[in-house]
Amino acid sequence: MGASPASAETSVSTDVAIVGAGIAGTALAYLLARSGVDVVLAERHTDLSREFRGFGFQPLALQYFDRMDLLEKVYALDPVRIRRPHVHAFGKRYAIADLSTYSDIYDHVVFMEQPPLLRLLIDEAEHYATFEYRDGTPVTGLLTERDRIVGVRATDRATTRGLDVRADVVVAADGRYSTVRDELGLGANRFESDVELVWVKLPDSTAAEPVDVYINEHGVLANFGLPGGEVQLGLPIEAGTYPDIRAQGPDAFAARLAAIAPGYRETIETHFTGFEQCSLLRIAPGITENWTRDGLVLIGDAAHVASPFGGQGNLMALKDAVALHPILADALAERDEGTPLSEGALRGFERTRRPQVEATVRLQRRMGGGIGWIARNSDALPPTAFRLLFRALFTLGEPIMRDTVRHMLFGDDPPSVARSYFAAAPESCE
């Protein structure tokens, strides 16, 4: 990494500079601010009302929000609550899981749009004088001294001036296309997949169930209900075939969706107007080879890109924030003033989280492979064969299914919110 460029027109100093106001960045900012740590959260966009695809939050996420004293405020956002997701496979309906068997208190999954939740986390962090949120502030590079990272170079879009944010540690939470990770010369280390996912978001759903999956000889289609009556459909397709699908025209595509999920035929025929309502997601999870440097740590999608299968992205981001919070608080309390945190002080985060992330990604890849196989071969075998397959899966395979669902909901040895680090009461910055 080369030397830092000349000093910017404006400079601020903080304990922690967090890059990216997604789930990982905003949750960590709240936890640190509540623990009396000086935090600057820099977000490239000027608002949070952009399109996100991660809507699901598992019971462990609800437990985290509860331990962060935010659960009732999360519920006030009016999310969709799911206790018994189902799959409709070749004319038979199966319960994927009854979530009440895994937890008496957190017995459901919630689905919600991300922007209101991110706004909630930022607003709660702003109750503490140690927190500063800078939106419209894209990070353009890293500040280094003697091969140690000492902050970030950014641009303040409101003034169009350069901004240096000097910090004892930089946390890169800027997503799967991380600028900071690119600046370090690190790759996302994606695993190749032969499946892609077409998202279709439609209004005014008449769906009876907020979350379900349809599987038949026409393919696989998942529905994720959203607040406000919207429906988001996910269609797994063979990688590289989307241009051919588009070439066949929107009517053929709508007919394909309706053939897989007849329960949504009316919604599809009424509200699907064309491919501008679609987006293509490349399913290629990955794990960056190294998450720490002197003065820097990667979290969330910047460290590990999640697959959509299993809906783990938000929970993995929250786990990162929860795990890193006490590590940073302790390291900052023990450091020499003005000295960047060493890689050694940060390495415990990666040592703890990497094996857990690797286990989740392995499970995601197995799920993706199985769903992809069904999507590619659902019309190649007689429906009777698939009916027998699913009957066996939901009877003889129930113990395996139960363990898989438990991992998706909680993971193995998940980190706990370190409430003992919280200050007694907010020191309002107002």
Side-chain angles (χ1 to χ4, degrees):
M1 189 183 306
S4 297
S7 179
E9 295 166 285
T10 306
S11 180
V12 298
S13 296
T14 187
D15 293 332
V16 182
I18 301 176
V19 183
I23 295 295
T26 54
L28 179 62
Y30 167 79
L31 290 167
L32 291 173
R34 189 165 176 186
S35 303
V37 176
D38 287 333
V39 182
V40 171
L41 174 61
E43 166 57 42
R44 68 166 51 249
H45 296 91
T46 55
D47 62 50
L48 300 169
S49 59
R50 54 195 185 275
E51 187 72 18
F52 294 90
R53 291 298 176 186
F55 299 103
F57 293 84
Q58 286 86 341
L60 180 58
L62 303 181
Q63 179 181 320
Y64 285 157
F65 291 139
D66 198 4
R67 298 289 291 168
M68 294 160 69
D69 299 318
L70 298 177
L71 184 57
E72 290 307 314
K73 293 180 180 180
V74 169
Y75 284 149
L77 300 176
D78 196 26
V80 175
R81 305 189 192 195
I82 313 299
R83 288 180 172 83
R84 288 176 60 86
H86 290 85
V87 58
H88 304 260
F90 291 86
K92 296 283 288 184
R93 183 172 179 265
Y94 304 92
I96 298 173
D98 180 349
L99 303 192
S100 65
T101 63
Y102 298 90
S103 173
D104 294 333
I105 303 173
Y106 313 105
D107 62 350
H108 55 282
V109 172
V110 301
F111 280 76
M112 62 181 140
E113 300 276 8
Q114 279 196 34
L117 177 61
L118 300 178
R119 186 73 262 170
L120 169 64
L121 289 165
I122 292 167
D123 288 346
E124 292 298 315
E126 286 181 334
H127 291 158
Y128 301 88
T130 56
F131 174 75
E132 181 181 2
Y133 179 51
R134 287 179 171 263
D135 59 357
T137 307
V139 166
T140 57
L142 296 170
L143 301 175
T144 62
E145 292 178 358
R146 297 187 297 276
D147 292 326
R148 297 181 303 181
I149 295 162
V150 296
V152 295
R153 168 65 51 81
T155 301
D156 186 335
R157 283 182 172 154
T159 65
T160 69
R161 294 182 176 180
L163 171 68
D164 284 354
V165 182
R166 300 185 67 85
D168 293 333
V169 62
V170 172
V171 179
D174 52 341
R176 64 180 58 207
Y177 305 110
S178 169
T179 298
V180 175
R181 188 184 62 218
D182 289 346
E183 184 75 8
L184 293 169
L186 296 173
N189 284 353
R190 300 279 193 117
F191 298 101
E192 289 303 319
S193 171
D194 54 7
V195 179
E196 295 174 325
L197 196 63
V198 181
W199 289 119
V200 187
K201 191 171 181 180
L202 302 174
D204 301 324
S205 170
T206 58
E209 296 178 278
V211 171
D212 50 10
V213 180
Y214 284 81
I215 303 173
N216 60 26
E217 63 272 21
H218 302 291
V220 179
L221 191 68
N223 159 53
F224 301 98
L226 299 175
E230 290 184 316
V231 59
Q232 178 173 250
L233 302 175
L235 175 72
I237 63 171
E238 186 175 354
T241 62
Y242 190 52
D244 295 334
I245 291 172
R246 290 178 63 99
Q248 293 170 15
D251 290 344
F253 183 67
R256 177 177 179 178
L257 299 180
I260 302 172
Y264 298 104
R265 182 179 301 277
E266 181 181 350
T267 296
I268 293 165
E269 292 179 349
T270 302
H271 297 292
F272 182 73
T273 59
F275 289 105
E276 67 279 358
Q277 294 170 282
C278 301
S279 60
L280 183 68
L281 178 64
R282 177 190 177 200
I283 299 176
I287 306 175
T288 302
E289 60 264 33
N290 183 275
W291 301 351
T292 58
R293 294 283 193 277
D294 287 336
L296 182 139
V297 58
L298 303 171
I299 68 172
D301 278 358
H304 41 77
V305 178
S307 161
F309 295 119
Q312 290 293 291
N314 289 329
L315 183 57
M316 292 168 77
L318 283 171
K319 285 181 178 179
D320 283 358
V322 167
L324 185 57
H325 160 227
I327 292 173
L328 289 184
D330 285 341
L332 289 166
E334 296 168 1
R335 79 195 187 288
D336 294 330
E337 192 70 30
T339 302
L341 298 187
S342 69
E343 184 175 4
L346 300 169
R347 197 174 294 131
F349 167 71
E350 183 171 357
R351 188 166 54 246
T352 299
R353 285 290 295 137
R354 181 177 283 273
Q356 298 172 356
V357 168
E358 289 174 343
T360 298
V361 169
R362 283 195 299 270
L363 182 54
Q364 288 179 320
R365 295 184 70 198
R366 288 199 297 270
M367 292 177 65
I371 292 172
W373 185 87
I374 293 172
R376 293 191 307 274
N377 295 282
S378 58
D379 62 345
L381 296 176
T384 302
F386 277 103
R387 290 191 187 99
L388 292 173
L389 172 65
F390 279 94
R391 187 179 303 167
L393 180 64
F394 284 93
T395 54
L396 299 176
E398 194 273 337
I400 297 174
M401 286 279 292
R402 184 172 60 246
D403 289 344
T404 299
V405 172
R406 184 181 299 279
H407 184 96
M408 290 289 103
L409 298 178
F410 296 99
D412 299 324
D413 193 23
S416 300
V417 174
R419 289 181 56 85
S420 61
Y421 289 76
F422 290 170
E427 180 186 350
S428 177
C429 57
E430 297 179 355

